[in-house]
Amino acid sequence: MELLGDIGLGLSVVLTPLNLGWCLIGVLLGTLIGVLPGLGPAATIAMLLPVTFGLPAVSSLIMLAGIYYGAQYGGSTTAILINLPGETSSVVTALDGYQMARKGRAGAALATAAIGSFFAGTIATALVAFLAPPLAAVALRFGAAEYFALMVLGLVASVALARGSVLKAVAMVVLGLLLGTVGTDVNSGEQRFTFGIPELAEGINFVALAMGMFGIAEILTNLDHEATRTPLTRVIGSLLPSRAEMRRIVGPILRGTGLGSLLGILPGGGAVLAAFAAYALEKKISRTPSEFGKGAIEGVAAPEAANNAGAQTSFIPMLTLGIPSNPVMALMVGALTIQGIQPGPQVMTEQPELFWGVIASMWIGNLFLIVLNLPLIGLWVRLLTIPYRLLYPAILVFCCVGVLSLNNLPSDVFVMILFGLVGYVLVRLDCEPAPLLLGFILGPMMEEYLRRALILARGDMTTFLTRPISLALLLLTLAIIVVLTLPAIRAKREEAFEETPA
Amino acid sequence: MGTRSSRDIAAGLLFLVVALAFLWFAQNHAFGRPNRMGPAFFPSVLAILLGIMGTAILVRGLRAEGQAIGPWPWRAMLLVLGAGVLFGLTIRSFGLIATVPAVVLVSSFASRQARPTTSLILALVLGLFSILVFAYGLGLPIPVFGRWLGG
């Protein structure tokens, strides 16, 4: 019954006017940016990091989390109504959701998405509450060698589930780790790779790097694909799915929730992969696979449940191990570090109100979303008429003001712009920026754990192989690398991401 | 586009150059031994790893077919990144009131669909918005008028 007490503690933290307010702001902002194409949760959270300085740690995390799962709701609205997925995780929802809308069943599709998301969100929140404490208990017994091995595993696994070339993704991780070494070395006090620039003494500013890579670089990427859009306002129709439709969505929602929760926990997983996998699964087990792509309600229910479940369970590795599984979680780690909290298993014992408050806020946030979003659909649709050419100058200004307000140093603006350029060039060369960010945030921790592990082992490199947990983690890493390089698996992995509509 | 992947070649070269640069500058620091890692230890090992991977990507690009990089959108890059640099250069001297409209105006022409009147209106609206929200609403320590405008 300890769990009930913990959840009660969490609820008591969330159910204060202040935190409820931040939760509401978070989910509304999340829905908003989910609706607006070309502005993702990573960029938004990066932009808002400076704002969170003045907030208590709990409030800032509650708001940032709300943005992440709120974006999944918003993205599906536009995917269904105008075949324009606001988020990558809603790409598959557009396949059948838009077809349903064309048949006059937009209301039912939207309601299915909302019901599926809410159900998945509830289950996933419970899962986080159940799984996190035992995982954290295990992690508390980890020594430096185990932590180092765990980080290697996390970084390699995050690559495994990313799109595109594995080799390039690993190179991006290493590049991120290297960028993390810029600045004063904590042990010797020597300044590394700073070229005597005083602003670099404390390392490359994480927020400036993240904003550049996700905010600025994304503006340039989106401008590449700028096209004239004529959004259509269409009849939404009855909001309630029919009885027959209700029966059809139960199975897909359950399976989507299960699959999504599982994939969310894995490093590199999260909402996007969960949605793709759930859609593929439903299509495979359906008795009428030919209906998929032509308005099958199962094709809306499953990925919507999965992306919301995945978005929430991806908090588990971040909250318990301090290891982010995707760029959004890396930004959350950044937000915590800025608040002076070192993410890791000790958070649960030392800051229970933070840990359980965030978990409880997820369920409250989902409740907000389902209550608020269905009535607000009209407003969201109208927002879609904002063209990107009016949006990106605002994004640019917000990024500049945000990064400047960090330390009041114009040099941070220049660092952000530089990484905007670097990020854009890398994207053009098919190198995804997400692994770099994960490497950058884990780099300093990894070096420290490596140093400590080697000191304890008196310089004996085999320490990572003689300690059982560390050995198991490294063997798992090796297995992932071997599996990834097998041609058959590589083909399958590419296939999993192929469901994108033309 | 031919038999080579220029994206892989460029990416491989980029990683290789960065790796060599880190390796070169790591020479300024002590490498140490495993039981007493010097400041150069971790970066050097990483740089060697990155160098190996960069070479592999480069070789793959030279051997396998792939996509061309395509033309760079110089105009958009110059205007968006330039506007950001402009912000960093002028915010202290001119404050939000002049800097934000200028940044918006410059960057808005990165879009091929930009129209002067809309850009002007957007510049004024966002200028006003940022003063009200950032300076007065959130109380961020960013000057509204700046040094040269008597702020």
Side-chain angles (χ1 to χ4, degrees):
Chain A
M1 281 307 97
E2 203 191 332
L3 190 66
L4 278 183
D6 288 332
I7 291 178
L9 170 70
L11 282 174
S12 72
V13 172
V14 185
L15 293 175
T16 56
L18 184 75
N19 285 337
L20 274 180
W22 285 113
C23 184
L24 184 64
I25 290 174
V27 295
L28 278 178
L29 264 178
T31 317
L32 174 71
I33 58 120
V35 169
L36 295 172
L39 187 58
T44 312
I45 292 175
M47 269 197 279
L48 285 174
L49 279 182
V51 181
T52 64
F53 289 173
L55 295 180
V58 192
S59 308
S60 67
L61 222 61
I62 285 176
M63 182 187 72
L64 296 178
I67 291 175
Y68 185 40
Y69 55 78
Q72 318 303 327
Y73 270 75
S76 57
T77 307
T78 56
I80 290 168
L81 289 179
I82 56 165
N83 199 19
L84 204 76
E87 293 310 316
T88 333
S89 56
S90 320
V91 166
V92 281
T93 309
L95 296 178
D96 282 285
Y98 181 62
Q99 293 303 323
M100 281 183 74
R102 285 184 61 180
K103 291 177 186 164
R105 302 291 297 141
L110 288 169
T112 302
I115 296 166
S117 298
F118 180 69
F119 177 79
T122 310
I123 299 290
T125 305
L127 259 179
V128 178
F130 271 111
L131 285 181
L135 252 175
V138 172
L140 274 176
R141 271 185 252 136
F142 279 16
E146 284 77 18
Y147 255 108
F148 180 78
L150 186 66
M151 287 180 180
V152 174
L153 172 67
L155 287 174
V156 170
S158 74
V159 164
L161 298 172
R163 283 177 201 231
S165 155
V166 177
L167 193 55
K168 280 183 179 169
V170 180
M172 288 293 274
V173 167
V174 178
L175 183 58
L177 290 170
L178 268 175
L179 290 174
T181 64
V182 174
T184 311
D185 174 38
V186 279
N187 267 51
S188 62
E190 284 176 41
Q191 291 198 5
R192 296 185 292 191
F193 316 114
T194 58
F195 308 106
I197 303 169
E199 282 87 354
L200 280 179
E202 282 178 41
I204 298 170
N205 189 318
F206 168 72
V207 181
L209 180 125
M211 276 198 195
M213 285 256 169
F214 288 98
I216 306 294
E218 258 178 39
I219 294 178
L220 290 170
T221 316
N222 288 329
L223 281 174
D224 272 351
H225 307 295
E226 197 184 25
T228 38
R229 292 195 303 261
T230 41
L232 306 164
T233 31
R234 46 181 70 255
V235 193
I236 289 176
S238 158
L239 269 182
L240 280 181
S242 69
R243 197 170 281 252
E245 283 172 330
M246 279 299 234
R247 264 199 300 275
R248 281 172 68 188
I249 62 173
V250 173
I253 287 179
L254 286 174
R255 284 187 292 273
T257 304
L259 193 59
S261 304
L262 187 71
L263 289 174
I265 301 175
L266 297 182
V272 180
L273 184 77
F276 278 87
Y279 187 82
L281 176 73
E282 287 307 317
K283 200 171 166 182
K284 193 152 267 178
I285 64 169
S286 168
R287 257 169 283 161
T288 50
S290 57
E291 256 188 56
F292 278 78
K294 293 183 191 134
I297 198 166
E298 293 88 347
V300 176
E304 278 306 304
N307 70 24
N308 214 43
Q312 267 166 293
T313 54
S314 60
F315 277 83
I316 294 178
M318 196 276 284
L319 286 173
T320 57
L321 309 171
I323 294 188
S325 56
N326 59 38
V328 173
M329 289 305 129
L331 291 163
M332 299 271 181
V333 171
L336 280 176
T337 322
I338 287 165
Q339 297 269 0
I341 296 169
Q342 176 72 49
Q346 71 287 348
V347 170
M348 194 179 306
T349 42
E350 285 166 18
Q351 313 239 349
E353 66 290 335
L354 171 75
F355 182 86
W356 293 103
V358 171
I359 289 179
S361 83
M362 291 184 193
W363 192 76
I364 302 280
N366 273 292
L367 201 62
F368 275 144
L369 283 167
I370 198 163
V371 173
L372 284 175
N373 270 356
L374 289 177
L376 285 180
I377 281 170
L379 175 71
W380 301 136
V381 171
R382 211 164 317 145
L383 274 173
L384 266 171
T385 49
I386 301 177
Y388 193 65
R389 69 189 152 83
L390 298 184
L391 211 56
Y392 76 86
I395 299 174
L396 178 66
V397 168
F398 294 168
C399 284
C400 287
V401 170
V403 83
L404 181 72
S405 67
L406 280 178
N407 307 314
N408 215 354
L409 284 174
S411 62
D412 283 341
V413 180
F414 301 136
V415 171
M416 174 183 78
I417 295 296
L418 176 70
F419 277 101
L421 175 67
V422 171
Y424 177 65
V425 169
L426 286 168
V427 168
R428 285 293 295 259
L429 301 178
D430 291 333
C431 299
E432 290 276 326
L436 185 147
L437 192 70
L438 295 187
F440 181 77
I441 198 129
L442 287 182
M445 279 190 264
M446 252 183 123
E447 181 175 13
E448 198 43 43
Y449 283 123
L450 178 66
R451 185 195 316 273
R452 273 192 231 160
L454 286 177
I455 290 173
L456 287 174
R458 295 164 205 276
D460 183 5
M461 293 279 201
T462 58
T463 178
F464 298 104
L465 304 177
T466 49
R467 298 176 67 115
I469 299 177
S470 155
L471 176 68
L473 291 168
L474 288 177
L475 283 178
L476 199 58
T477 313
L478 192 68
I480 292 174
I481 293 173
V482 170
V483 164
L484 275 181
T485 43
L486 292 177
I489 306 278
R490 256 167 64 180
K492 260 271 180 291
R493 179 169 156 275
E494 249 115 74
E495 207 176 276
F497 284 112
E498 281 296 305
E499 294 281 356
T500 4
Chain B
M1 288 303 253
T3 52
R4 288 168 183 182
S5 167
S6 45
R7 291 190 192 195
D8 280 1
I9 295 171
L13 280 176
L14 190 73
F15 289 134
L16 200 56
V17 169
V18 173
L20 289 175
F22 267 98
L23 205 55
W24 174 260
F25 289 107
Q27 309 280 312
N28 300 341
H29 306 280
F31 188 79
R33 289 184 314 274
N35 61 341
R36 265 189 65 113
M37 277 167 54
F41 189 97
F42 193 59
S44 303
V45 173
L46 290 174
I48 292 168
L49 265 177
L50 185 65
I52 295 171
M53 283 184 270
T55 314
I57 295 168
L58 177 65
V59 169
R60 190 178 67 180
L62 288 169
R63 288 171 53 183
E65 251 175 77
Q67 280 176 294
I69 301 174
W72 294 90
W74 293 115
R75 182 182 127 127
M77 287 167 71
L78 186 74
L79 290 175
V80 171
L81 301 174
V85 173
L86 182 72
F87 182 93
L89 289 176
T90 59
I91 185 69
R92 286 261 175 93
S93 319
F94 295 99
L96 288 170
I97 199 161
T99 301
V100 170
V103 167
V104 174
L105 211 56
V106 171
S107 66
S108 72
F109 285 97
S111 164
R112 265 158 276 157
Q113 296 155 16
R115 266 165 289 172
T117 33
T118 4
S119 298
L120 211 61
I121 296 170
L122 188 67
L124 294 176
V125 170
L126 281 175
L128 195 67
F129 176 87
S130 49
I131 291 170
L132 290 178
V133 172
F134 297 130
Y136 296 124
L138 293 171
L140 298 180
I142 295 177
V144 173
F145 290 104
R147 223 179 292 131
W148 289 5
L149 296 177

